[in-house]
Amino acid sequence: IGLPLDDTYIHLQFVKNLLKGHWFVYNLGQRPTPGDTSPLWVLLIAAGGIFSKNLLAVSLVLSGIFYLLTGLAAYRLGEKILDDKWFALAYGLAVIFTGRMLWAGASGMEVTLFSFLSLLGVLIYLRDKARGRLGLWTGVIFGLAANARPEGNLLFILVLFDWIVLDQILRQRKFRLGSIPWGAGLVYGLLAAPYPLFCLYYTGHLTPNTFRANHLGFSWPQSIGYLKIIIREAFWRDNPLIGVGLLVGAVLFPVRFLRGARLERDWFLLWLWPIGYLAVSFFTAPIPVIVLRYQIPLLPFFAALAFYGWEGLVRLPAGRLGKNYLARALPAAAAVLVIYAGFLTFRSWPEFTAHCVKNIEEMQVTIGKQIRDHTPTNAVIATNDIGAIVYFSDRRVVDLVGLVNPELLKDVQTYGGGVETLGVVKLHLLKTRPDYLAIFPNWYRGLFQNSPGFEPVYTVTLTDNVICGGPTMIVYQCHWPAVSN
């Protein structure tokens, strides 16, 4: 039993210090920092930590619960948008049988929390939309979603666009100030604003350090490459049947919307959110992080469009073949989609998830425990992986990526990698003078040229690496020249 991603331990480190009475502090004795993109997830784990000291188990139980709730919410959504009950059930099961969702459920990360809140928020919003008035619960759920992931703010912006522009202005043509959902917006703002203000106070930016670290300046080659990876991995290799259905559904839904179909008109947010996310993320050029974990919460919505597309394809010849055809074809198609999704997922994803756990346990967890057992308690560790190494070693850290050292993040982002960034890291090491350095040497080629002495004291090499940033991590003891008075 373990965690398949080192980043989960970043949450747990914040939780550990929070339970000691230190609010979003990563290094005890230092000022708070917004080094976590999901304050709600930190608070949920901390709430569980009141009853259990095993924070790893708490994070796994929570991510598993929200994984199952995501499947249940998807089934409820399927009942609303799909005509056939078997297709609705198949859609809910297919979400559960999505490999990346399964990995997320076993990750201890906030991914499944955000996917569940997104689905629940959309369900409540569309219920309110049918009533002609947005209730306060809409603001509550989307406010919580914004605290689960920063992308939740984009979701609420698209909700407002759907309500004000598409529905009130373009469709009903009766927009007035009273049409603006002031109550829901106020509740959302009260819930969503505190963490961005916290970020602004401590860093001068409205977004967390981690969020900024994973977004670079826009460039066409990088954005096109990002989109290709999503299409190739999430829409094709994971499940080509979902990819085909998504292609049909993503075209069919807006076509019917433009023709004035009632369901597509009322539920257009189901198309607007996943497609809008892809469009915005294309231009903000995020780094395609391994397992595409930032895109996983969108998968239930892409799957909804895919099942919508498949239902349309199955119904296409109904006019000539009659009702008996539909009575047999729809359940059969639903069964095929579920069985195929389950086969693809359980053929490889449980093994891959366990393999990820093995890598993290053998590298970062082992190194963290070695540092705990073989260094002074006041030692300072510089590293590019600040999760398990910090959590288990219980030592103060200098983060070479800048997730909890935003002063370094600014310089790293400015240079964008390469020799210049290496120079920034060298200067930061000379300034902070850590006692030990734990890094992937393939990330910092040339770091040791014309630099103070670094003595290798511990090395871990993985022969089967699938999740870590490099196959080898080395711990160096740093020998700094004496500082003259």
Side-chain angles (χ1 to χ4, degrees):
I1 302 249
L3 299 173
L5 193 67
D6 184 63
D7 288 14
T8 310
Y9 288 103
I10 298 178
H11 294 307
L12 300 188
Q13 178 67 10
F14 277 110
V15 171
K16 184 167 67 172
N17 289 335
L18 182 62
L19 291 172
K20 294 177 181 178
H22 304 279
W23 188 257
F24 279 89
V25 170
Y26 207 75
N27 287 317
L28 291 182
Q30 294 186 341
R31 60 187 283 166
T33 184
D36 199 296
T37 50
S38 184
L40 179 58
W41 191 240
V42 171
L43 295 176
L44 283 175
I45 298 176
I50 297 174
F51 305 98
S52 172
K53 294 181 179 180
N54 190 339
L55 299 181
L56 185 152
V58 172
S59 68
L60 284 174
V61 169
L62 286 175
S63 64
I65 289 173
F66 287 110
Y67 163 68
L68 296 175
L69 288 176
T70 296
L72 180 61
Y75 168 62
R76 294 293 296 164
L77 179 63
E79 288 185 314
K80 304 294 183 181
I81 64 169
L82 300 170
D83 294 329
D84 184 75
K85 63 178 183 180
W86 294 109
F87 251 71
L89 178 60
Y91 163 57
L93 290 173
V95 168
I96 291 292
F97 296 156
T98 297
R100 293 175 199 274
M101 287 297 305
L102 179 67
W103 179 92
S107 70
M109 293 288 283
E110 79 281 0
V111 176
T112 54
L113 169 65
F114 182 58
S115 64
F116 169 67
L117 289 175
S118 300
L119 284 166
L120 181 62
V122 168
L123 281 168
I124 291 177
Y125 163 69
L126 294 173
R127 180 203 65 185
D128 288 353
K129 187 178 179 182
R131 297 174 178 176
R133 179 179 176 274
L134 297 193
L136 297 182
W137 275 109
T138 299
V140 170
I141 299 302
F142 286 120
L144 292 175
N147 283 285
R149 285 292 310 167
E151 294 88 349
N153 295 291
L154 173 62
L155 176 55
F156 190 68
I157 290 172
L158 293 177
V159 165
L160 294 180
F161 178 81
D162 180 73
W163 174 260
I164 297 173
V165 178
L166 297 183
D167 189 72
Q168 301 292 311
I169 296 178
L170 296 182
R171 186 168 72 89
Q172 299 189 32
R173 302 183 185 278
K174 61 173 186 179
F175 177 76
R176 56 188 184 279
L177 288 178
S179 301
I180 298 176
W182 297 107
L186 178 61
V187 172
Y188 162 82
L190 290 174
L191 289 171
Y195 197 61
L197 292 177
F198 170 79
C199 297
L200 184 66
Y201 179 80
Y202 282 103
T203 68
H205 298 271
L206 287 169
T207 54
N209 306 333
T210 313
F211 186 80
R212 289 189 289 124
N214 287 309
H215 289 71
L216 301 177
F218 173 75
S219 71
W220 283 107
Q222 182 172 276
S223 294
I224 291 173
Y226 157 76
L227 193 58
K228 285 181 177 178
I229 288 175
I230 291 178
I231 293 173
R232 182 182 69 241
E233 299 296 328
F235 299 159
W236 185 250
R237 285 186 180 176
D238 284 0
N239 189 333
L241 290 184
I242 293 294
V244 171
L246 175 60
L247 181 62
V248 175
V251 174
L252 186 62
F253 204 96
V255 167
R256 289 178 174 174
F257 167 81
L258 293 174
R259 290 180 176 177
R262 182 176 179 81
L263 183 144
E264 287 75 10
R265 182 188 62 196
D266 293 341
W267 291 70
F268 191 65
L269 184 65
L270 287 179
W271 184 92
L272 187 62
W273 164 229
I275 303 303
Y277 173 90
L278 277 186
V280 172
S281 63
F282 178 87
F283 288 103
T284 55
I287 302 171
V289 180
I290 192 166
V291 198
L292 298 176
R293 68 178 187 269
Y294 296 147
Q295 288 73 41
I296 289 176
L298 277 295
L299 295 182
F301 293 93
F302 286 117
L305 290 177
F307 273 79
Y308 171 87
W310 274 113
E311 189 177 51
L313 286 175
V314 173
R315 288 182 177 277
L316 197 60
R320 285 186 288 179
L321 299 178
K323 291 184 178 180
N324 289 335
Y325 157 77
L326 282 180
R328 297 172 181 173
L330 286 171
V336 168
L337 289 169
V338 170
I339 293 171
Y340 188 62
F343 168 75
L344 291 178
T345 292
F346 292 113
R347 181 184 64 173
S348 59
W349 279 94
E351 181 180 358
F352 172 75
T353 304
H355 202 148
C356 292
V357 173
K358 178 177 182 290
N359 288 164
I360 299 301
E361 290 287 322
E362 291 179 348
M363 180 174 278
Q364 286 89 342
V365 172
T366 298
I367 288 176
K369 292 178 179 179
Q370 285 288 324
I371 291 174
R372 178 195 62 195
D373 296 339
H374 297 94
T375 66
T377 56
N378 62 347
V380 177
I381 315 299
T383 181
N384 53 254
D385 261 20
I386 63 167
I389 291 176
V390 180
Y391 182 77
F392 286 102
S393 71
D394 207 22
R395 300 295 188 265
R396 190 162 69 86
V397 66
V398 173
D399 178 17
L400 299 181
V401 180
L403 304 185
V404 294
N405 298 110
E407 68 278 3
L408 179 62
L409 176 61
K410 178 181 178 181
D411 291 332
V412 172
Q413 281 189 309
T414 299
Y415 291 112
V419 178
E420 296 87 351
T421 297
L422 196 60
V424 170
V425 171
K426 286 183 179 180
L427 289 174
H428 197 67
L429 289 173
L430 287 169
K431 178 181 177 182
T432 55
R433 299 170 70 90
D435 300 298
Y436 293 88
L437 176 67
I439 60 171
F440 298 120
N442 60 302
W443 282 28
Y444 301 98
R445 299 186 189 279
L447 176 63
F448 308 105
Q449 297 175 2
N450 303 317
S451 297
F454 296 94
E455 177 190 357
V457 293
Y458 192 74
T459 300
V460 171
T461 297
L462 303 175
T463 59
D464 57 354
N465 179 42
V466 298
I467 195 70
C468 298
T472 298
M473 178 170 273
I474 303 176
V475 180
Y476 300 88
Q477 187 173 6
C478 305
H479 301 288
W480 302 104
V483 179
S484 58
N485 294 326

